[in-house]
Amino acid sequence: MFTINLFPHLRRIVTARAASFAFLLFAVGLLLLTPAHGETIKSQKHSFTVDTITSGLNHPWSLVFLPDASMLISERNGGLKHVSKDHVVTSVKGLPDKLNYSGQGGLLGLALSPDFKTSRKIYLAYAEKGNYRKSGTSVISATLDESTSTNTKTLSNITQIFQQYPKVAGGRHYGGRLLATEQHLYIALGDRGNRDKAQQNDTHIGTLVRLNLDGSIPFNNPFLSDPTSKPEIFSFGHRNIQGMTLDNDGATLWTHEHGPQGGDELNLMESGTNYGWPTITYGVNYVTGSSIGQGTAAEGMAQPVEYWVPSIAPSGLEMVRGNAFPNWQGDLLLGSLKFGLLVRVEIDDEQGKYVVAQEKLLDGKFGRIRDVAEGPDGLIYLLTDSSDGALLRLSPTPMK
């Protein structure tokens, strides 16, 4: 009777396969840390490639660059990610509690204080829980602390500098974009599904708010002396502002906002101005297609610089400043949630600021575009909105 000992042979097979599996995991890890290079896309004025810098982000919402060219990215579920220059992603600790992550709410806009290099101060907008299942947009300032020994980043000195009044039920139209200039912090808000209140300045609903960088109220805010209006209001009559940027002149403020069914708007912001919602709009009611308000124009209400019918659901807004895309300098770039587009809007500065051309790029290949930012390298960075959201980078290539 013969017996054969198979165990040494099996051990060799298992060991070899384990080593192969370990190598495979290592190779996958390297791929995850290396930008994925995409196809070359040709536009009217530039050809460019789209590279995936990182993925696995949970509905990323806002992107800002730090002075060392690293990035902060907010995730709507309440996460705040730091992306190093080498594209290593880590979580920032110390985020605010009472976050209302439901509907369109969650952790939203980010902005750096202009003195960030010395103060390390950042601003964060989020949907804050209130009583009786109500919520509203709030803004905090915080210090971004860094431990070099543990390679961790934490928020400290958290100070609440704004709370939308009143908090209301429902999960729509929080606005949430932030913009910090040398003197002021602008806070974009939405109508929270209460459209008529956008014409009533005794609340913050449907307004653009302007504060000093410390959260105090500027002395020249337009409604400061009106006892029936909220003193923080800079402009009103907005449905849901989703993009905000400064013009290259350093003074002009651009925003865009969602319309209902049709009627998304691109606007130039002016102090004390009524932008019309819901009294005037180029959109109609969902489903029924019935008219809203009094039509498309009314005395004392501003007209948009541009509007979109059908809606593109714009999100994120940046004016090109750098030299990497010289033929795009002075153009506005905005994302489209509905069609997965990057929209380039060409502006005429000589005869007044108005739109002379548009170009729609990407054609939905990368999904919903939530935010657009120009990096210190002049390249264009995008966030895609999904549970497996990505950070994309656009790099110019020679035109053929």
Side-chain angles (χ1 to χ4, degrees), residues 126-368:
Y126 65 104
E128 183 185 38
K129 290 180 181 179
N131 296 325
Y132 308 109
R133 302 181 70 177
K134 296 181 178 181
S135 61
T137 305
S138 292
V139 178
I140 61 169
S141 65
T143 303
L144 181 65
D145 292 328
E146 182 175 10
S147 171
T148 55
S149 61
T150 60
N151 193 30
T152 58
K153 290 178 173 59
T154 307
L155 298 184
S156 65
N157 301 321
I158 294 177
T159 303
Q160 189 158 59
I161 61 172
F162 175 78
Q163 286 181 300
Q164 171 210 301
Y165 173 84
K167 288 181 170 65
V168 298
R172 294 184 291 164
H173 303 174
Y174 289 93
R177 291 292 174 193
L178 299 178
L179 177 67
T181 68
E182 291 298 321
Q183 293 181 312
H184 298 121
L185 177 68
Y186 291 88
I187 304 169
L189 301 174
D191 69 6
R192 297 289 286 110
N194 294 263
R195 58 173 62 168
D196 291 337
K197 289 187 179 296
Q199 291 292 319
Q200 301 168 11
N201 285 349
D202 58 342
T203 78
H204 296 122
I205 289 176
T207 68
L208 176 65
V209 161
R210 182 175 69 173
L211 303 177
N212 292 320
L213 295 173
D214 63 359
S216 61
I217 299 170
F219 73 93
N220 57 346
N221 265 16
F223 302 104
L224 188 61
S225 60
D226 181 356
T228 66
S229 297
K230 288 294 180 185
E232 300 90 350
I233 295 174
F234 181 77
S235 63
F236 65 104
H238 301 291
R239 185 172 182 270
N240 191 24
I241 299 174
Q242 290 292 290
M244 184 161 50
T245 193
L246 272 183
D247 192 276
N248 288 351
D249 63 17
T252 305
L253 180 61
W254 293 90
T255 69
H256 62 58
E257 61 185 83
H258 289 184
Q261 184 172 298
D264 298 340
E265 295 183 359
L266 176 67
N267 286 305
L268 282 170
M269 308 312 295
E270 296 183 359
S271 177
T273 298
N274 182 353
Y275 287 83
W277 175 256
T279 305
I280 60 171
T281 178
Y282 286 88
V284 296
N285 281 306
Y286 291 107
V287 183
T288 65
S290 57
S291 61
I292 298 172
Q294 301 175 8
T296 59
E299 184 177 355
M301 296 184 182
Q303 283 290 300
V305 176
E306 184 63 276
Y307 63 90
W308 289 272
V309 176
S311 293
I312 63 171
S315 190
L317 184 63
E318 183 77 291
M319 179 167 275
V320 179
R321 298 169 174 82
N323 297 319
F325 289 88
N327 297 329
W328 287 359
Q329 280 185 348
D331 294 350
L332 291 168
L333 299 178
L334 55 99
S336 162
L337 295 169
K338 184 175 181 180
F339 297 114
L341 302 171
L342 177 66
V343 182
R344 183 180 64 86
V345 180
E346 195 170 331
I347 304 296
D348 187 318
D349 277 330
E350 295 182 1
Q351 305 297 323
K353 296 184 183 297
Y354 64 92
V355 174
V356 295
Q358 293 187 51
E359 184 180 17
K360 296 178 179 179
L361 306 166
L362 304 188
D363 298 323
K365 294 178 180 179
F366 301 93
R368 291 157 53 91

Side-chain angles (χ1 to χ4, degrees), residues 3-191:
T3 59
I4 301 174
N5 187 357
L6 295 176
F7 288 104
H9 180 64
L10 289 174
R11 280 198 296 269
R12 285 194 296 271
I13 293 174
V14 171
T15 301
R17 290 186 176 179
S20 298
F21 184 66
F23 178 78
L24 178 62
L25 288 177
F26 175 74
V28 170
L30 286 179
L31 287 173
L32 291 175
L33 291 174
T34 304
H37 296 281
E39 65 181 292
T40 297
I41 296 174
K42 186 175 181 180
S43 73
Q44 294 171 4
K45 294 189 174 183
H46 279 290
S47 292
F48 58 90
T49 58
V50 182
D51 301 330
T52 299
I53 301 302
T54 192
S55 59
L57 301 169
N58 194 324
H59 292 283
W61 209 90
S62 182
L63 162 67
V64 293
F65 282 89
L66 304 182
D68 66 356
S70 66
M71 297 166 251
L72 290 178
I73 297 175
S74 63
E75 296 176 303
R76 201 161 51 80
N77 71 336
L80 181 62
K81 302 299 187 187
H82 177 261
V83 183
S84 73
K85 291 181 291 184
D86 300 323
H87 310 147
V88 176
V89 181
T90 56
S91 295
V92 179
K93 301 177 181 179
L95 275 294
D97 54 10
K98 294 187 176 181
L99 183 81
N100 184 48
Y101 177 46
S102 66
Q104 298 169 4
L107 185 60
L108 304 173
L110 301 172
L112 299 187
S113 177
D115 65 349
F116 177 84
K117 284 186 178 181
T118 55
S119 71
R120 304 284 296 177
K121 180 188 284 189
I122 66 172
Y123 301 97
L124 302 91
Y126 65 104
E128 183 185 38
K129 290 180 181 179
N131 296 325
Y132 308 109
R133 302 181 70 177
K134 296 181 178 181
S135 61
T137 305
S138 292
V139 178
I140 61 169
S141 65
T143 303
L144 181 65
D145 292 328
E146 182 175 10
S147 171
T148 55
S149 61
T150 60
N151 193 30
T152 58
K153 290 178 173 59
T154 307
L155 298 184
S156 65
N157 301 321
I158 294 177
T159 303
Q160 189 158 59
I161 61 172
F162 175 78
Q163 286 181 300
Q164 171 210 301
Y165 173 84
K167 288 181 170 65
V168 298
R172 294 184 291 164
H173 303 174
Y174 289 93
R177 291 292 174 193
L178 299 178
L179 177 67
T181 68
E182 291 298 321
Q183 293 181 312
H184 298 121
L185 177 68
Y186 291 88
I187 304 169
L189 301 174
D191 69 6

